[in-house]
Amino acid sequence: GEDVEQSLFLSVREGDSSVINCTYTDSSSTYLYWYKQEPGAGLQLLTYIFSNMDMKQDQRLTVLLNKKDKHLSLRIADTQTGDSAIYFCAEMRSNNDMRFGAGTRLTVKP
Amino acid sequence: DGGITQSPKYLFRKEGQNVTLSCEQNLNHDAMYWYRQDPGQGLRLIYYSQIVNDFQKGDIAEGYSVSREKKESFPLTVTSAQKNPTAFYLCASSSTSEIMDTQYFGPGTRLTVL
């Protein structure tokens, strides 16, 4: 398909792990990104992964990349109420065109 | 502090009026971008500029115009020709000298047409 796809909603309990999934479009994409957007704010770069990597870990965040399936995931360990936000997946395509998913709204329940 | 600023945070416009959204960055980035965000949709690229005095249309440029007279500034004008202008507008910038070309975003401007 032409679009970067994400599920629109995810709800988890505080302390659980959250996994947000994304499928992207260009097998030649160089970088894949995760951005976080809090209500009424701009996008904050959370983490990124280079396309020749399978996994990247950064404190509570783990990014997994499956190039064969063009699948990207973001795992947040020990999810907190402050993690409630919209999470955007984005790919930097081979032509340097950046494409975003529609965003996954993560709700963390106490 | 280095960063991207957008003003105003909230903007109201009457139908038929043009309005200009401000975007300024002090990151010394060459490239700047304007995106539109609608509920339940991804970001859609309106215009981008890789260098001063040059800019290109994105996916949804109709009804919008931009200028890039200074490296730090990339204002977006929403014209009366834009049929559905109510949206959240995000400006971003990136350094084309970096391999990653990661985009960094401003806080956004919410435009409401009354």
Side-chain angles (χ1 to χ4, degrees):
Chain A
E2 288 293 318
D3 297 332
V4 176
E5 294 185 349
Q6 305 176 236
S7 52
L8 292 183
F9 302 99
L10 177 65
S11 179
V12 301
R13 292 259 175 225
E14 192 174 18
D16 289 349
S17 292
S18 307
V19 180
I20 303 171
N21 294 302
C22 168
T23 54
Y24 60 97
T25 62
D26 184 354
S27 57
S28 300
S29 286
T30 52
Y31 286 93
L32 291 305
Y33 301 85
W34 284 104
Y35 285 87
K36 177 183 181 182
Q37 185 181 34
E38 300 192 23
L43 272 65
Q44 171 196 355
L45 180 65
L46 266 185
T47 188
Y48 63 90
I49 188 167
F50 187 46
S51 58
N52 70 352
M53 298 168 66
D54 299 323
M55 185 182 87
K56 180 178 180 181
Q57 188 152 3
D58 183 1
Q59 299 182 337
R60 291 191 298 122
L61 305 179
T62 303
V63 178
L64 294 177
L65 176 61
N66 180 332
K67 281 194 72 175
K68 174 176 170 289
D69 295 336
K70 291 183 280 188
H71 183 265
L72 183 74
S73 68
L74 174 70
R75 179 178 181 268
I76 305 172
D78 188 25
T79 313
Q80 302 298 307
T81 54
D83 295 323
S84 292
I86 300 176
Y87 291 82
F88 288 89
C89 167
E91 62 172 336
M92 177 72 78
R93 292 180 175 175
S94 51
N95 62 355
N96 282 340
D97 184 20
M98 192 133 170
R99 294 285 162 166
F100 291 82
T104 299
R105 183 180 294 276
L106 175 63
T107 302
V108 182
K109 297 179 179 177
Chain B
D1 285 358
I4 304 173
T5 57
Q6 291 185 241
S7 62
K9 188 171 175 66
Y10 299 97
L11 191 55
F12 298 89
R13 186 194 96 176
K14 292 182 180 179
E15 279 194 35
Q17 288 181 337
N18 292 355
V19 63
T20 298
L21 282 60
S22 166
C23 178
E24 305 275 333
Q25 53 95 4
N26 61 4
L27 300 168
N28 200 33
H29 283 172
D30 296 303
M32 296 185 75
Y33 311 81
W34 274 106
Y35 291 91
R36 172 184 170 133
Q37 185 181 19
D38 294 284
Q41 295 191 40
L43 299 178
R44 292 184 290 169
L45 182 64
I46 304 172
Y47 267 99
Y48 65 101
S49 168
Q50 301 275 36
I51 197 168
V52 174
N53 292 323
D54 188 42
F55 48 83
Q56 284 79 39
K57 292 181 178 180
D59 299 320
I60 55 165
E62 186 175 348
Y64 299 97
S65 65
V66 294
S67 63
R68 188 85 188 277
E69 296 175 4
K70 297 187 299 182
K71 188 176 185 179
E72 306 79 28
S73 179
F74 191 41
L76 173 74
T77 297
V78 184
T79 75
S80 56
Q82 169 49 236
K83 299 301 179 192
N84 185 20
T86 294
F88 190 52
Y89 290 87
L90 285 158
C91 177
S93 70
S94 68
S95 173
T96 55
S97 63
E98 292 178 6
I99 295 174
M100 275 181 58
D101 224 12
T102 299
Q103 293 183 24
Y104 297 90
F105 285 81
T109 293
R110 184 166 297 280
L111 173 65
T112 303
V113 174
L114 304 172

